[in-house]
Amino acid sequence: MRVQNGRLVALVAAVAVAAVTGGGALAWRQGPQANEADAAPLSSSPTTATSTPTKTPTPTAKPTPTPSSTPSSKPTAGPVKTKIDLKKLTTGRTPQITYLSGRTIRGGAGEDVKVPGTTDIQEVARLGGSSLAVVTKGFGNEMLTIDSEGNVTRRTPDITQIVTTDDGSAAAYAGTKRKDTGEETAGATIYAEQAEGQGGLQKITVPDIWNTTLEAYVNGKVYFDASTAQDGPSALYEWTPGESKAALLKSIPSALAVSSTGTAGSLTTLADQSSCSSLLTVPAGKRLWRTCDYMITGFTPDGATVIGGSKYQDGYGDGIAVVLDAKNGSLLHEWSGVFRQAIPEDDQHLLLLADDGDETPASIVRCTITTGACELATPLAKGQLLIGA
C-alpha cells in the first residue's frame, strides 16, 4: 500500500481561499520551531552530550549538605522534533520502492523504464514486470502499461490514480471521465489487476459518485472514498475484485487512508485553517483515538505507525511530516521542511519528497521512524521527481 500526500485538496477547497497567502506560499500551520535540531544522517549515531565535573575543594569548615535529589543524566523524555536541512544531509541508498526521476521509472522490482512521450506524468507504479504511468491526455488522463523493454502494451483512458499492494503483486486504478472543459463528470470505474495477468482484469462502474479517491489495496480488497453529491460529504467504499458491487461503509466518513490492520483515518472536523482526524475501525467505525494536532495521511505496511501532516493542508507542500503510534496516537517523531509526498518505504522508514519551495532543487529523503535520522535517497537536483504508488 502506498498512500499519496496531497489527496485532501477537494476536502479543504471550501476553506482554502481564505488561507492562501501571496506567491503560493504554504497556507497551513507550520510545525513548532522551538527546540528543534537539524535531522541527523542515518549513517551516524546520536551524540550523547557529556561534561567533565568540576572538582570540589575539600571543605575546611563543616561539610556541604548533600543535595536532596541528584539531577538525571538521561535526556528529557518525549517526542523529538527536527528540522530537515537538505544541504546538510549525507547520501544513502536509492529508494527501494518505485519512483520517477525525469521521465524514467526507477526503484522497486524492475529495470529502469523510460515513459515515452512528452506529456506530463501524474503517477507511476510497478506491477510485476510491467510499469504503470498516468499521463496527461487532452483535458484528461490515460494510463500507460509499459513492458520491461519500454514498449507501451496498453492504454487505459481516464485513469487518474493508482494504488498497489505492498508486495507489488496487484494494482488498482480509478477512472473518471471529464468534459472538454476538464470538469469532472459523475461516476467512476474502478479496476483491479494482478501481476502477469493472473486472474484477469476486474472492474466495476459506480454511477453517480463524485470526488473518487483511491485509498488502499489491502487484504484482497480495494478501498476508495467518494461522495454521492458533487459538493456533499464523502464516505468509504469497499470492493472485493470479482464482485459486482462495492459496499458503502457509512461509518467511515471522509476517509483519508486505510491500513492493513483494519483501521482507517477519517477527517472528522474541518474548520478554517484547522482540522481533526480520527483513527476508526473498519467497517464498524469505532473511534480508537483522535488528533487535532495533525492530519492522518497514511500508514506503514504493518499498520503499526500512522503517517500524518499539518492539520490544515493547502498550497504547494506540507510544512511538517509526522509519525504517530497507531495504538494511541502519541507522537513518535516530527520533521519540518517542505514536503510534497510522505510515503512509507517499509515499516521502519519514511520517504519524503522534499525541497525548499517552488522551482528549487528537490530530493527524496529517507528518515528512520525510531530515531528521526535522515539521509538523501536521491541527489538534490532540479527536474521532475515523484514517489510511486
Side-chain angles (χ1 to χ4, degrees):
M1 175 188 67
R2 307 292 178 211
V3 182
Q4 298 291 342
N5 197 17
R7 61 179 54 183
L8 305 170
V9 173
L11 294 172
V12 301
V15 293
V17 175
V20 176
T21 56
L26 302 183
W28 48 76
R29 180 190 60 81
Q30 299 292 326
Q33 301 297 315
N35 299 322
E36 288 183 339
D38 289 337
L42 292 180
S43 57
S44 63
S45 302
T47 302
T48 303
T50 59
S51 60
T52 303
T54 304
K55 186 175 180 180
T56 304
T58 302
T60 56
K62 62 181 180 179
T64 303
T66 303
S68 58
S69 62
T70 304
S72 172
S73 60
K74 295 181 180 181
T76 303
V80 178
K81 300 180 181 182
T82 53
K83 182 177 182 179
I84 291 181
D85 187 337
L86 296 174
K87 297 181 179 63
K88 293 183 179 180
L89 296 183
T90 59
T91 301
R93 65 177 182 168
T94 58
Q96 300 302 290
I97 62 174
T98 306
Y99 68 102
L100 179 73
S101 178
R103 296 193 68 84
T104 301
I105 299 174
R106 306 180 186 274
E111 301 295 326
D112 292 354
V113 174
K114 186 175 181 179
V115 179
T118 58
T119 56
D120 291 340
I121 303 170
Q122 310 293 338
E123 290 198 22
V124 296
R126 301 270 200 190
L127 178 62
S130 300
S131 297
L132 308 176
V134 175
V135 299
T136 302
K137 183 180 181 181
F139 294 100
N141 298 319
E142 68 174 352
M143 188 184 76
L144 308 180
T145 301
I146 308 168
D147 65 18
S148 59
E149 302 297 322
N151 302 309
V152 176
T153 60
R154 188 171 67 207
R155 295 175 182 267
T156 308
D158 305 318
I159 300 301
T160 56
Q161 307 155 62
I162 309 171
V163 293
T164 62
T165 56
D166 183 56
D167 61 3
S169 64
Y173 34 98
T176 302
K177 292 185 179 296
R178 294 184 178 275
K179 300 177 181 179
D180 290 345
T181 58
E183 182 183 358
E184 179 185 355
T185 62
T189 301
I190 312 298
Y191 302 80
E193 181 179 9
Q194 294 184 357
E196 315 308 333
Q198 298 179 10
L201 178 65
Q202 308 288 335
K203 69 176 182 178
I204 58 167
T205 298
V206 186
D208 302 323
I209 61 173
W210 300 84
N211 309 312
T212 304
T213 303
L214 282 176
E215 302 294 352
Y217 193 166
V218 293
N219 303 327
K221 299 178 185 296
V222 177
Y223 292 92
F224 59 96
D225 185 79
S227 55
T228 55
Q230 191 168 11
D231 298 319
S234 66
L236 189 67
Y237 287 76
E238 178 186 85
W239 175 53
T240 301
E243 295 186 356
S244 59
K245 292 183 178 181
L248 172 59
L249 307 181
K250 293 183 179 180
S251 58
I252 317 293
S254 302
L256 301 168
V258 177
S259 79
S260 62
T261 55
T263 58
S266 171
L267 182 65
T268 50
T269 306
L270 179 63
D272 239 6
Q273 301 187 29
S274 187
S275 69
C276 296
S277 52
S278 299
L279 188 69
L280 309 179
T281 61
V282 177
K286 179 181 179 181
R287 180 183 292 177
L288 301 178
W289 49 262
R290 173 177 180 161
T291 174
C292 295
D293 296 318
Y294 307 104
M295 184 179 289
I296 296 172
T297 60
F299 299 90
T300 51
D302 63 2
T305 304
V306 174
I307 300 167
S310 302
K311 62 182 179 181
Y312 183 83
Q313 301 183 353
D314 178 60
Y316 175 77
D318 205 347
I320 57 174
V322 302
V323 282
L324 311 173
D325 190 331
K327 292 180 180 179
N328 53 25
S330 61
L331 179 62
L332 301 177
H333 207 92
E334 177 185 302
W335 298 271
S336 60
V338 180
F339 310 123
R340 286 182 279 145
Q341 286 180 285
I343 309 293
E345 184 179 39
D346 49 45
D347 295 333
Q348 300 298 322
H349 299 94
L350 185 64
L351 294 180
L352 302 172
L353 176 53
D355 55 35
D356 291 321
D358 196 15
E359 301 298 328
T360 62
S363 173
I364 296 175
V365 176
R366 175 184 295 106
C367 295
T368 300
I369 290 172
T370 54
T371 66
C374 300
E375 66 184 12
L376 299 181
T378 63
L380 188 61
K382 289 190 174 182
Q384 186 167 15
L385 194 61
L386 184 69
I387 306 173

